[in-house]
Amino acid sequence: MADSVLIERPAEGVGLIRINRPEARNALNMEVRRLIARHLTEMGEDDETRCIVLTGNEKSFAAGADIKEMAGAGTIEMLARGTHKLWRTIAACPKPVIAAVNGFALGGGCELAMTCDIIIAGESAKFGQPEVRIGIIPGGGGTQRLTRAAGKYKAMRYVLTGDLFGAKAAFDMGLVSEIAPDGEVEKRAIEMARQIAELSPLAIQQAKEAVLRGMDAALDTALALETKAIQILFSSQDQKEGMAAFIEKRKPKFSGR
Ligand code: CO8
């Protein structure tokens, strides 16, 4: 049987993680979740990887948690599975993660996309938190991340009905960073990842941390965090190189030091 998660190296500095359960619309069973978390941890520690693309196939990014795997589970079994810890590993990856979404991103699949830093969606992509239709609620961050992205009233509209919504609505809600033509989503995500991979990894890491940590802090605290982060970067060779290259009218070569 083929691996349920594949690793690819589509460009220098770019790692691609592909969910590969087409027969189940890429439903996230425990094996897939563990593998995504493991690969993201490894890529997070690997100096050769500077940006990560997470994707599925043309039909589905991920159609949610694997309903067949959890249908008979009880509370203690769900607790023992520790899914929330795996989800945190994903969100805590120090490098930028771009979700390239084709087809369905539903339930846990929508939540998985929302743990990423940038979401590029195909014109026909379908998002949704349909959990209420099967007697549960979004349990991988959906009630919180969708609300933070779209605001209370739009989030409620979709969380309480389970209705799916398209890429344009997702973009208008602030859930999607960019819409690409179907068939070009991965290409566009890799192109953006390559662009990020050429920049200073130190600056990128600090920028990601400032945005994520700052989002949940009081403005004053968040601004102080940002100030410290930019001050720290003035000790880096990359800051000297970046500014020297600008003045000398040449392309900078960032070392991550
Ligand atoms: N789980 C398991 N199997 C699935 C899932 C899923 N989420 N989605 C699709 N499949 C399977 C189908 O059962 C079917 O299998 P089979 O061929 O053996 O019958 C196969 O994939 C193909 O599916 P369809 O025939 O239904 O394909 P369609 O193209 O007609 O429809 C849809 C695709 C719209 C994606 C449809 O399959 C669907 O509605 N899927 C379920 C979507 C859903 O409800 N997702 C939410 C799941 S719950 C969740 O994510 C909660 C997260 C909580 C995480 C935290 C836990 C602590």
Side-chain angles (χ1 to χ4, degrees):
M1 220 166 82
D3 291 342
S4 57
V5 176
L6 306 173
I7 295 299
E8 295 165 31
R9 292 276 167 190
E12 201 182 331
V14 180
L16 184 144
I17 300 174
R18 184 185 302 284
I19 306 167
N20 184 41
R21 290 189 75 208
E23 72 289 353
R25 298 287 181 269
N26 282 346
L28 304 164
N29 61 10
M30 285 307 291
E31 181 184 77
V32 169
R33 289 166 200 235
R34 283 198 195 103
L35 284 171
I36 294 173
R38 190 201 299 164
H39 290 314
L40 275 175
T41 304
E42 285 173 6
M43 286 184 183
E45 289 167 359
D46 167 31
D47 286 345
E48 302 304 311
T49 306
R50 293 187 173 187
C51 192
I52 299 160
V53 174
L54 178 60
T55 194
N57 55 43
E58 290 296 311
K59 273 198 177 153
S60 189
F61 176 74
D66 191 314
I67 298 171
K68 293 167 190 167
E69 194 184 57
M70 65 185 171
T75 309
I76 301 304
E77 197 180 333
M78 290 304 281
L79 181 70
R81 287 183 188 181
T83 315
H84 61 287
K85 286 187 220 148
L86 294 174
W87 243 225
R88 283 210 189 108
T89 315
I90 297 167
C93 179
K95 303 191 177 153
V97 185
I98 302 176
V101 177
N102 281 300
F104 298 108
L106 308 183
C110 187
E111 292 168 324
L112 178 61
M114 288 192 290
T115 63
C116 297
D117 303 306
I118 292 170
I119 302 178
I120 299 181
E123 281 164 344
S124 313
K126 286 263 179 274
F127 295 82
Q129 297 291 164
E131 287 90 341
V132 287
R133 295 185 177 180
I134 54 167
I136 56 170
I137 67 164
T143 61
Q144 303 310 307
R145 288 206 172 92
L146 186 59
T147 308
R148 279 164 171 74
K152 172 183 163 185
Y153 299 100
K154 284 187 176 151
M156 286 289 196
R157 187 247 175 278
Y158 291 108
V159 169
L160 297 184
T161 61
D163 282 351
L164 308 193
F165 49 96
K168 169 80 170 60
F171 180 80
D172 291 343
M173 265 188 248
L175 186 66
V176 157
S177 320
E178 192 176 306
I179 298 177
D182 292 332
E184 287 185 26
V185 179
E186 242 176 81
K187 190 171 140 237
R188 175 64 189 126
I190 292 165
E191 183 183 283
M192 193 183 287
R194 180 189 252 160
Q195 182 187 350
I196 293 170
E198 283 180 3
L199 304 173
S200 162
L202 294 171
I204 294 298
Q205 188 180 343
Q206 291 297 315
K208 171 169 172 169
E209 196 176 327
V211 172
L212 287 183
R213 295 237 181 256
M215 265 169 68
D216 293 326
L219 182 60
D220 245 12
T221 310
L223 290 173
L225 189 82
E226 185 195 73
T227 303
K228 294 293 169 208
I230 189 176
Q231 287 165 350
I232 286 170
L233 288 171
F234 275 80
S235 311
S236 71
Q237 290 172 20
D238 280 356
Q239 173 266 325
K240 299 289 175 277
E241 166 65 7
M243 293 193 181
F246 173 79
I247 292 162
E248 293 159 20
K249 300 188 188 301
R250 61 176 173 83
K251 202 173 172 216
K253 198 158 170 34
F254 294 116
S255 64
R257 301 195 190 284

